[in-house]
Amino acid sequence: MIKVNKEDMDYVDGMTIQDILKIRKYSHTMITVIVNGQVVPKDSYPTYRVKDGDVINVIHMMSGGC
Amino acid sequence: MTTGKILAKYEYQPAKIEKGYANQTLYINLSDRTIKAKPVTEQMKQIFTGGRGFGLWYLWNAVSGDTKWNDPENEIIIAGGPICGITQYPGSGKAAVVTLSPLTGCPIDNNVGGYFAPLLKFSGWDALEIQGKADKDVIIFIDGNKGLVTIEEADEGHDDTHLIAEELTEKYADSEEDKRNISVVSSGRGAENTLIGILNVSFYDVKRKAVRVKQAGRGGSGTVFRDKKIKAIIVKYKGVTGDSNNPADKEKIINAAIRLHREIFELDKLQNRMREVGTAHLVGIMNDYDLLPVMNFQYGSHPDAVKITSEVFREKYFTQNVPDNCWHGCSLSCAKAVDNYEVKTGPYKGQKVCVDAAEYETIAAVASNCGIFDPEYVIEANFYCDTYGLDTISFGNIVGFAMECYERGIINKEITGGLELKFGNAEAALELLHQMGRGEGFGEIAGQGVKRLREYIIEKTGADPAFLRDISMEVKGLEVSMYVSKESLAQQGGYAFANKGPQHDEAWLIFMDMVNKQIPTFEDKAEALHYFPVFRTWFSLQGLCKLPWNDIIPADNAITNEPHKIPAHVQNYVDIFTGVTGKNITREELLLQSERVFNFQRIFNLKMGRGTREYDRPPFRLMGPATKEEYESRAERYDKQLKELGYDIEGKTTEEKMTMLRQYRESQFEKLVDAVYKRRGWDKNGVPTLETVKKLGIDFPDVVELISRYRE
């Protein structure tokens, strides 16, 4: 199990940040991903593999008409 | 249109701009044709800064608590602000428009692009204050080079913006080259026949060789404009340079501007693609996050939304690789347009036009909120709303509400005059739009706005007033802008407490609250509902666009202490304000400028007999599922929430669970109200306390007397 934005999410062996964003339908481009307190560079999303028990925060910025 | 006899004339010596201010306002009374200059005092600048602040102050002094929107005493004030007109920093050509709203009875403010406010200032005026009513249609012309203001008869001619603005630009420009020195404010026939009229502010697009318009859209300012029998206001000024604002420290502005331009060029393509698609990029995102209003805000997403996303508009409709800035120097360039669009319906059928289309709010309002997923319908509706002078957000809410009433059997063809107002019926929606333009049939009734339409339906059909209130998406009489707030308590407050009515430009907290879960407690939410509305007010005091604040963010923003505030850009604003005015301010003082005006506007609502807690109450659909269908569309989420809260939902019907959820959510909302009022320095009834107004320096005798009437 991992935590994504304070909610439980099933952990799948080998899952990447990009997989998590896809599952959660986090399509907004202005996001920052923080794993266990460390910011993950955007270009690492497809390759950064999370571990079971990781705490992930996907911080969305406001934008657009918002 | 031909302009006729000159009814009044005023010659003046154009003032030299000093550190962002012309230091005078142009006052025009259309009833007695007075034209005069009024000084902008140091005290006004100190307390109200400019733009919306000046507008509210002039309006406050012009009206009493009994004044109605269509009384001659009501005013329209158009004002930029000290930063307005600089050409270095993106988004610096905005005008604040302030008037008493026909929809709300309170002050409405809009922040609109186009060239009007900068050209007005360089013509020697910080603000244009119009009072009174003409007895027949007039044109106001301001020639900033000759130092001449005239009120002229508008003899005959076009009724709608796309023709009015084009003809007057042609008429008042000396040459093709001179057209860029003209800006026309106009509206259309729909503004005369409804309460949701807009003002269109023009600029000449040199590349396209076309007159384009931006909208002061909310609250019916165009309706007031036409009620005063103003056909158009034209300002003409030749000679804009990077120094026209005569700033105190140009280097400071340039340094901030260079930083932002660099970010835009390097990062926009990786972030929001504003330069390609403008705010339309939000359609797909809102759909993905279940936040896109669908069918009168019943739902937050729809499988057909893929037909109206920015990808579709970019691929087939938006012209690419042309500068789409609505004032000089804006590299964010988000004012997208559809060129050579052939109009399919109505009086302009067959004409080829350039449509300023389409922004996110418009797409969501006229399309998904009405269950319509057709991009060409969006362009058609956008074109007609603009040229008739109608607010796309209000229009989309009205149609969505009417369609839901029709689908639920509350109204029928007898009420709608034969229109089959089913969700998805684009033909019927467009016919309703044309009826609003003409002031005929059901369109004339619907054009009074959702609140008055609801009252009409109740009177005519005997429908349940409580249910209709739940599903009519307005607060304070203004229709809600386009975000589903059901699952974000903070955004429910953001909409419900907004001074002018539920417009997202005051607070947009859904991601922070619902997705990021960064503001879990009432105190956290209250802090956000204090900071962001106050901060966002600042743009409209200065003549600035909000989008360059948070539609592009620095690469290292994530590692700052408060990434949602975008600290580097706030520092830019401190720098450019100081650079223009020479007044060294801190971030705290920047906020104080806004907080004064924000609270003054709240007190203005009190003056108009509103502005207390009872007016900050949203329809239940903003807070949660108002119908069985809505509950069941998100049943897993709602069931889970009820179980976590300790409710026993075993064997309960949907209706029983809806009752539980409603009780809970309404109680949460009341707690939020208490927390926010406390943080803002207001009492439990939502009235700013004496201590608050004293702290802010807005403790004028009439303000103190007014709030004392409400003292608990």
Side-chain angles (χ1 to χ4, degrees):
Chain A
M1 196 69 75
I2 55 175
K3 283 263 186 210
V4 178
N5 284 7
K6 299 184 179 148
E7 287 177 359
D8 289 338
M9 183 172 171
D10 289 335
Y11 172 74
V12 178
D13 194 30
M15 75 195 308
T16 64
I17 297 289
Q18 189 162 291
D19 295 332
I20 293 168
L21 299 179
K22 196 172 172 190
I23 293 165
R24 296 295 291 255
K25 289 179 79 175
Y26 285 168
S27 60
H28 189 34
T29 51
M30 289 171 71
I31 56 170
T32 301
V33 178
I34 301 166
V35 178
N36 303 328
Q38 296 294 313
V39 174
V40 178
K42 268 188 192 304
D43 55 8
S44 303
Y45 294 172
T47 54
Y48 188 105
R49 293 178 194 283
V50 298
K51 298 187 296 296
D52 197 9
D54 276 352
V55 176
I56 299 139
N57 285 307
V58 184
I59 304 298
H60 291 62
M61 299 298 295
M62 297 171 275
S63 70
C66 313
Chain B
M1 182 184 313
T2 59
T3 50
K5 194 170 128 191
I6 292 178
L7 302 171
K9 187 174 171 182
Y10 175 76
E11 290 178 87
Y12 68 99
Q13 189 65 39
K16 188 177 184 310
I17 309 304
E18 292 174 15
K19 298 174 185 173
Y21 289 99
N23 293 311
Q24 58 181 4
T25 286
L26 177 61
Y27 172 86
I28 296 176
N29 190 311
L30 292 170
S31 297
D32 61 13
R33 297 173 189 162
T34 301
I35 309 176
K36 66 179 182 183
K38 287 168 72 169
V40 167
T41 64
E42 283 305 313
Q43 190 191 24
M44 273 178 70
K45 291 195 276 189
Q46 181 61 34
I47 297 175
F48 295 102
T49 306
R52 190 201 316 189
F54 283 5
L56 289 167
W57 177 237
Y58 284 132
L59 191 62
W60 173 273
N61 290 304
V63 302
S64 74
D66 297 323
T67 304
K68 305 295 177 223
W69 69 273
N70 53 358
D71 287 339
E73 292 73 27
N74 189 17
E75 294 191 335
I76 297 174
I77 300 105
I78 306 176
I83 296 173
C84 178
I86 64 170
T87 57
Q88 296 84 12
Y89 198 83
S92 301
K94 289 274 189 168
V97 179
V98 176
T99 189
L100 282 186
S101 163
L103 289 172
T104 69
C106 289
I108 187 83
D109 60 278
N110 281 282
N111 203 25
V112 57
Y115 287 10
F116 190 83
L119 298 186
L120 178 74
K121 189 204 281 188
F122 302 147
S123 295
W125 308 106
D126 286 319
L128 171 62
E129 180 189 8
I130 302 172
Q131 197 172 30
K133 283 190 190 189
D135 50 12
K136 52 187 166 184
D137 278 354
V138 295
I139 284 174
I140 297 168
F141 176 53
I142 303 159
D143 187 326
N145 296 108
K146 289 183 181 162
L148 180 67
V149 182
T150 52
I151 304 172
E152 305 172 13
E153 279 182 358
D155 284 343
E156 57 186 54
H158 303 297
D159 293 320
D160 297 322
T161 272
H162 79 290
L163 297 175
I164 296 172
E166 188 176 303
E167 183 176 356
L168 293 177
T169 301
E170 193 74 40
K171 178 183 167 65
Y172 284 92
D174 298 331
S175 62
E176 174 68 23
E177 177 74 14
D178 196 33
K179 288 180 182 174
R180 73 186 68 190
N181 305 316
I182 303 267
S183 180
V184 179
V185 180
S186 63
S187 193
R189 69 182 88 173
E192 292 172 31
N193 296 318
T194 68
L195 299 184
I196 60 169
I198 61 170
L199 292 181
N200 289 298
V201 178
S202 82
F203 64 104
Y204 190 68
D205 186 326
V206 175
K207 279 270 184 194
R208 288 183 168 88
K209 295 192 185 309
V211 176
R212 299 184 54 194
V213 285
K214 301 299 288 179
Q215 290 72 38
R218 305 309 323 271
S221 51
T223 301
V224 180
F225 186 85
R226 289 301 295 133
D227 183 66
K228 291 185 177 299
K229 295 204 178 296
I230 307 170
K231 195 80 170 188
I233 309 169
I234 302 132
V235 65
K236 179 177 178 179
Y237 175 79
K238 183 180 179 182
V240 175
T241 70
D243 292 325
S244 291
N245 216 24
N246 198 12
D249 183 351
K250 193 172 158 188
E251 284 305 304
K252 229 177 173 60
I253 301 167
I254 289 173
N255 289 337
I258 288 171
R259 292 193 292 271
L260 186 62
H261 285 299
R262 191 177 293 141
E263 286 167 20
I264 291 171
F265 286 117
E266 290 174 359
L267 301 172
D268 178 61
K269 56 185 176 288
L270 304 172
Q271 295 179 5
N272 288 339
R273 300 174 295 120
M274 297 292 282
R275 290 163 61 82
E276 290 176 35
V277 297
T279 60
H281 77 275
L282 281 167
V283 177
I285 295 167
M286 292 302 133
N287 192 54
D288 285 345
Y289 288 78
D290 217 9
L291 298 170
L292 178 73
V294 172
M295 300 178 185
N296 197 32
F297 286 79
Q298 290 181 83
Y299 312 110
S301 62
H302 194 283
D304 287 341
V306 292
K307 296 176 183 170
I308 53 168
T309 60
S310 61
E311 285 71 22
V312 175
F313 282 97
R314 185 192 185 287
E315 191 64 34
K316 292 183 70 174
Y317 302 106
F318 290 163
T319 306
Q320 295 294 301
N321 301 315
V322 286
D324 280 320
N325 45 0
C326 68
W327 175 240
H328 302 300
C330 185
S331 52
L332 204 55
S333 200
C334 70
K336 310 322 291 182
V338 179
D339 289 297
N340 297 311
Y341 174 74
E342 186 171 331
V343 182
K344 294 173 178 171
T345 66
Y348 304 113
K349 184 177 177 179
Q351 282 191 15
K352 288 204 169 175
V353 293
C354 171
V355 188
D356 285 84
E359 300 231 26
Y360 165 73
E361 300 290 334
T362 294
I363 300 171
V366 306
S368 63
N369 197 47
C370 304
I372 303 168
F373 299 93
D374 173 357
E376 296 199 10
Y377 154 79
V378 171
I379 299 165
E380 183 89 3
N382 199 151
F383 166 72
Y384 270 113
C385 278
D386 287 353
T387 202
Y388 285 159
L390 298 169
D391 175 14
T392 55
I393 297 176
S394 288
F395 172 75
N397 269 288
I398 290 166
V399 178
F401 174 64
M403 284 178 163
E404 184 171 358
C405 289
Y406 188 92
E407 295 252 2
R408 292 187 183 280
I410 296 166
I411 60 173
N412 55 25
K413 283 187 181 173
E414 204 176 310
I415 297 279
T416 67
L419 291 177
E420 191 172 32
L421 283 173
K422 286 186 171 174
F423 285 120
N425 189 344
E427 197 180 326
L430 285 171
E431 176 51 30
L432 194 59
L433 175 52
H434 293 308
Q435 287 183 5
M436 287 184 195
R438 297 191 300 267
E440 291 175 5
F442 187 58
E444 187 181 15
I445 297 156
Q448 306 303 298
V450 164
K451 179 171 182 279
R452 289 165 181 81
L453 177 59
R454 177 183 73 232
E455 290 161 357
Y456 174 84
I457 291 171
I458 292 167
E459 186 192 323
K460 289 286 171 189
T461 68
D464 176 10
F467 177 68
L468 255 57
R469 181 66 193 105
D470 281 353
I471 67 165
S472 55
M473 303 306 285
E474 57 84 11
V475 185
K476 301 182 173 78
L478 184 72
E479 290 76 19
V480 180
S481 70
M482 290 291 123
Y483 303 94
V484 172
S485 62
K486 285 175 196 171
E487 319 310 335
S488 168
L489 180 59
Q491 186 58 30
Q492 292 158 28
Y495 272 144
F497 310 148
N499 279 326
K500 76 177 104 172
Q503 171 75 355
H504 58 278
D505 65 351
E506 194 170 289
W508 199 92
L509 300 169
I510 298 181
F511 281 159
M512 282 184 83
D513 189 32
M514 181 185 104
V515 182
N516 303 341
K517 299 183 177 60
Q518 290 172 297
I519 45 176
T521 67
F522 286 109
E523 287 70 27
D524 295 334
K525 293 182 205 303
E527 182 57 35
L529 280 165
H530 172 69
Y531 177 84
F532 287 103
V534 166
F535 178 72
R536 283 166 174 253
T537 296
W538 194 76
F539 297 98
S540 65
L541 311 184
Q542 305 293 345
L544 285 171
C545 175
K546 179 201 70 73
L547 300 183
W549 164 54
N550 70 346
D551 266 280
I552 183 79
I553 54 173
D556 61 356
N557 186 62
I559 57 170
T560 59
N561 286 337
E562 296 180 299
H564 276 90
K565 295 181 179 176
I566 313 169
H569 289 180
V570 178
Q571 186 58 47
N572 284 352
Y573 293 126
V574 169
D575 288 350
I576 59 174
F577 182 83
T578 302
V580 169
T581 65
K583 295 175 187 168
N584 280 302
I585 59 164
T586 62
R587 291 180 192 202
E588 289 70 29
E589 285 163 336
L590 180 154
L591 287 172
L592 188 57
Q593 290 178 339
S594 286
E595 198 176 353
R596 287 190 193 106
V597 175
F598 182 79
N599 277 271
F600 186 72
Q601 191 164 350
R602 177 75 178 187
I603 293 163
F604 206 147
N605 287 355
L606 285 175
K607 173 171 173 167
M608 303 316 294
R610 298 165 177 83
T612 47
R613 187 173 185 134
E614 66 183 297
Y615 295 95
D616 288 346
R617 197 160 285 147
F620 185 67
R621 184 168 280 166
L622 272 182
M623 295 194 259
T627 62
K628 191 177 170 185
E629 297 80 22
E630 289 163 79
Y631 188 101
E632 289 177 350
S633 74
R634 294 176 173 180
E636 195 180 339
R637 181 202 304 250
Y638 296 139
D639 284 355
K640 183 171 173 242
Q641 187 179 25
L642 286 173
K643 280 184 204 165
E644 285 171 355
L645 291 166
Y647 287 92
D648 177 11
I649 62 168
E650 199 60 39
K652 295 289 191 292
T653 64
T654 300
E655 286 83 355
E656 288 168 331
K657 290 189 283 188
M658 282 171 63
T659 303
M660 294 173 192
L661 192 67
R662 182 170 188 144
Q663 281 170 349
Y664 173 72
R665 291 200 171 184
E666 287 181 338
S667 70
Q668 294 293 290
F669 183 81
E670 292 304 321
K671 287 178 186 167
L672 179 75
V673 178
D674 288 337
V676 172
Y677 285 0
K678 185 179 172 193
R679 176 62 187 90
R680 289 180 177 179
W682 300 353
D683 67 19
K684 280 186 175 277
N685 197 23
V687 179
T689 64
L690 186 59
E691 188 185 3
T692 298
V693 299
K694 278 187 173 169
K695 182 192 84 176
L696 297 173
I698 53 171
D699 52 334
F700 315 121
D702 48 356
V703 165
V704 172
E705 191 276 326
L706 178 64
I707 62 171
S708 69
R709 283 189 236 156
Y710 291 88
R711 200 164 291 157
E712 289 169 320

